[in-house]
Amino acid sequence: MQLYLNQKLKIYNSLSGKKEIFKPLNEGHIGMYVCGPTVYSNVHLGNCRTFMSFDMIFRYLKHLGYKVRYVRNITDAGHLVDDAEDGEDKIAKKARLEQLEPMEVVQRYTIDFHNILEQFNFLPPSIEPTATGHIIEQIEIIKDILEKGFAYEVNGSVYFDVSKFNDSYEYGKLSGRKLEDMIANTRELAAQDDKKSPQDFALWKKAEPQHIMRWPSPWGDGFPGWHLECTAMSTKYLGETFDIHGGGMDLKFPHHECEIAQAEACYGHSPVRYWMHANMLTMNGKKMAKSTGNNILPGEIFTGENDILSKAFSPSVVRFFMMQAHYTSILDLSNDALLASEKGFSRLMDSLSVLEGLETGSSSDFDVEAWRQQCYDAMNDDFNTPILIANLFEAVKHINLIKEGKENITSADKDILTQTLNGFIFDILGLEQKGGTSEDAGKLSGVVELLIKLRKEARENKDFATSDKIRDQLAELGIQLKDGKEGTTFSI
Ligand SMILES: [Zn+2]
């Protein structure tokens, strides 16, 4: 019997603003779409948090026994610099600045994205389609919307007619906005603007002669609007109605609002049953942004090559840190928070080896069955990973009491405990145990500290051949030394 039959999952639906009992369209099957990255720069840590939340959700749905088709796209065209209707295509701009082919930009940052996600131990989605691979499908949708009267063509561009749409449907229902208020709060259209109203958005944009990313269409050479690709790809792989659509909170408006409008205009009904939005990541209490310097790349955390944190942190520690907050809450990253997560993570990992060696008895002082259900209850309550982790530490407490001889556990309960902990820690939270126990890690760092000391002595004796040899051979083993004001530190 599949687990989902007795575990009642509830999901917070951003559209209704309520937690709802989850019931997929087709029993046992789930279609899930998550807006992927625009591959014009290294993947942002905040975006990693969003994708990690949906990786955990994907893992839990699979754990419950659902067959999940998870589609996460790659935006490789159409996303304009200011996220709205003006400005250059983000990828075309990067290509121009770096004198590269747009597809070189796409390739470089798609590889970076996959590399970081692999280090974070993400499961690959079932399908990872690209916008440029679905131009034909996007053109077909535009034709359909034009035919139904919810779009108009001007000078080779096609715009979605928001007012017309709002006469029969409700534009703004996901983000809780009213069209009248939006109209009242917007500036006048610029004289050269082709749009009838500032709220209208581009389905197809005419390509100016200098624009390098262009495709032929019934309206002339151009490129698709950003919102359209997600409608085209989600419909193609998941159908006109599917179960879950996810993304970052910042995509609610206008991106997801426009996706709803496009699909309703085409198919006459709402495309998504459960809308889910992950919240943002801040750093030291402030919004992360390249422009203010309050920014760090995932790779810089793993290697320790940054001026913000005191040391390197492994991908699993960062993942554990992110899982300690609910996906709908704002999470603040700081050195202290990561240090605390590292401690907690080792405690959890160590308890697994302690558990393995525990002696069993004829009775249990710990109700393992009830505890296991509490773990499920936490996850069933809109994927509440912080409560789940609190429950995992409840088990750690009992494991230590049993080890000290203050409590007992039967062999059958020990098996359930082991299986449940492994399932939640590795399969659902997606954590990985690398480099053995913290005891092993302690020995390793002792050895590296000793080599750092010998290298320092060699340098003081001007024996640079030896000091360089120590540094280079450690680097070959994957251990980087970093010389700083307060001495030498290392990262693995
Ligand atoms: Zn999207």
Side-chain angles (χ1 to χ4, degrees):
M1 196 171 80
Q2 300 297 353
L3 263 177
Y4 62 76
L5 294 170
N6 24 12
Q7 299 297 340
K8 295 285 167 244
L9 176 63
K10 278 187 177 174
I11 291 182
Y12 178 83
N13 189 344
S14 309
L15 187 60
S16 64
K18 288 192 195 102
K19 270 187 210 168
E20 297 175 6
I21 291 174
F22 178 69
K23 204 173 171 308
L25 194 59
N26 301 303
E27 202 196 302
H29 295 262
I30 294 173
M32 176 161 97
Y33 187 92
V34 171
C35 294
T38 301
V39 281
Y40 73 107
S41 63
N42 297 101
V43 63
H44 192 284
L45 191 65
N47 288 344
C48 288
R49 184 189 178 206
T50 297
F51 300 132
M52 194 182 287
S53 298
F54 289 101
D55 181 62
M56 170 275 292
I57 289 165
F58 179 41
R59 285 166 174 274
Y60 188 60
L61 296 173
K62 277 160 63 97
H63 176 87
L64 289 181
Y66 288 110
K67 288 197 169 34
V68 188
R69 182 180 292 167
Y70 173 25
V71 182
R72 188 187 63 215
N73 71 303
I74 295 273
T75 296
D76 56 355
H79 194 168
L80 304 185
V81 172
D82 65 355
D83 288 353
E85 294 310 311
D86 308 306
E88 227 175 321
D89 181 298
K90 288 189 178 189
I91 287 160
K93 182 180 176 192
K94 185 83 173 184
R96 183 172 56 75
L97 292 175
E98 302 204 356
Q99 297 195 314
L100 294 169
E101 266 295 314
M103 279 301 136
E104 282 182 280
V105 173
V106 165
Q107 180 78 359
R108 177 186 293 174
Y109 295 113
T110 303
I111 289 172
D112 169 74
F113 175 65
H114 286 151
N115 171 28
I116 294 296
L117 264 52
E118 204 181 301
Q119 294 192 63
F120 271 131
N121 195 32
F122 277 56
L123 295 179
S126 325
I127 306 176
E128 194 171 46
T130 62
T132 57
H134 296 77
I135 301 287
I136 294 169
E137 288 83 350
Q138 297 186 67
I139 291 175
E140 287 307 309
I141 292 180
I142 300 172
K143 284 195 212 161
D144 197 5
I145 299 176
L146 274 168
E147 213 164 275
K148 292 184 170 133
F150 294 111
Y152 55 92
E153 188 206 339
V154 188
N155 296 327
S157 293
V158 182
Y159 295 97
F160 191 93
D161 191 333
V162 171
S163 303
K164 179 86 185 292
F165 172 78
N166 200 54
D167 291 342
S168 336
Y169 298 92
E170 192 190 339
Y171 184 74
K173 62 183 169 187
L174 179 66
S175 55
R177 292 162 200 240
K178 289 250 167 287
L179 185 59
E180 304 84 78
D181 300 339
M182 289 185 235
I183 291 169
N185 291 325
T186 44
R187 57 186 163 81
E188 290 288 299
L189 277 173
Q192 75 278 14
D193 213 318
D194 288 333
K195 288 192 285 187
K196 283 193 214 165
S197 145
Q199 277 65 44
D200 295 351
F201 56 91
L203 298 171
W204 188 262
K205 284 283 269 187
K206 176 198 172 112
E208 298 305 330
Q210 72 277 13
H211 203 277
I212 32 186
M213 299 178 81
R214 56 202 299 141
W215 290 268
S217 81
W219 316 284
D221 275 10
F223 56 95
W226 170 41
H227 313 306
L228 190 61
E229 63 176 88
C230 288
T231 299
M233 294 185 272
S234 61
T235 312
K236 175 161 180 172
Y237 299 111
L238 301 173
E240 287 177 16
T241 308
F242 55 96
D243 298 299
I244 298 173
H245 191 316
M249 212 71 106
D250 54 328
L251 294 184
K252 245 189 203 179
F253 188 88
H255 185 56
H256 290 160
E257 207 70 76
C258 296
E259 274 188 51
I260 294 177
Q262 290 164 164
E264 289 185 342
C266 265
Y267 313 119
H269 57 78
S270 195
V272 174
R273 295 158 52 82
Y274 302 86
W275 279 96
M276 296 180 74
H277 291 94
N279 214 326
M280 63 170 180
L281 182 72
T282 56
M283 189 161 71
N284 294 322
K286 281 186 235 119
K287 200 177 167 199
M288 287 180 78
K290 242 190 240 168
S291 53
T292 59
N294 195 46
N295 192 47
I296 192 165
L297 291 173
E300 294 170 340
I301 301 183
F302 306 158
T303 60
E305 284 163 15
N306 64 75
D307 304 325
I308 293 162
L309 305 173
S310 62
K311 62 185 284 298
F313 293 94
S314 76
S316 262
V317 166
V318 180
R319 187 165 176 128
F320 182 67
F321 159 73
M322 291 196 182
M323 290 293 134
Q324 282 174 300
H326 191 253
Y327 74 94
T328 58
S329 311
I330 293 176
L331 174 62
D332 189 49
L333 180 127
S334 66
N335 196 55
D336 287 349
L338 283 175
L339 286 171
S341 290
E342 190 173 54
K343 241 180 167 172
F345 179 67
S346 323
R347 214 154 69 81
L348 190 59
M349 289 299 145
D350 289 351
S351 75
L352 292 177
S353 39
V354 172
L355 174 62
E356 216 179 308
L358 282 188
E359 305 240 349
T360 55
S362 54
S363 65
S364 291
D365 296 307
F366 169 37
D367 189 343
V368 177
E369 292 280 3
W371 166 80
R372 174 167 66 174
Q373 189 52 45
Q374 279 168 15
C375 292
Y376 279 107
D377 290 347
M379 288 303 283
N380 293 339
D381 185 16
D382 194 30
F383 311 95
N384 201 324
T385 52
I387 302 285
L388 168 69
I389 291 171
N391 281 314
L392 299 181
F393 279 108
E394 182 64 22
V396 171
K397 194 182 85 191
H398 287 287
I399 289 168
N400 290 329
L401 286 170
I402 297 164
K403 184 189 161 198
E404 292 162 17
K406 291 177 185 153
E407 279 191 8
N408 293 302
I409 191 164
T410 65
S411 165
D413 279 350
K414 183 180 158 182
D415 287 348
I416 299 172
L417 187 56
T418 306
Q419 194 201 15
T420 310
L421 279 173
N422 282 328
F424 279 102
I425 293 172
F426 301 115
D427 302 341
I428 296 165
L429 293 177
L431 302 169
E432 282 183 302
Q433 188 161 31
K434 278 188 179 160
T437 60
S438 67
E439 198 183 323
D440 293 340
K443 284 180 193 154
L444 176 65
S445 67
V447 171
V448 179
E449 292 296 349
L450 177 68
L451 287 164
I452 289 175
K453 208 170 137 223
L454 290 173
R455 176 169 167 262
K456 191 171 165 240
E457 284 170 14
R459 284 166 83 174
E460 279 162 6
N461 296 330
K462 307 225 179 306
D463 178 4
F464 296 113
T466 304
S467 73
D468 288 352
K469 199 169 162 190
I470 292 173
R471 186 198 58 208
D472 296 345
Q473 297 204 347
L474 280 174
E476 270 174 39
L477 294 168
I479 298 166
Q480 260 76 39
L481 299 188
K482 189 178 164 191
D483 297 314
K485 268 182 246 152
E486 273 142 47
T488 305
T489 54
F490 71 96
S491 59
I492 301 171

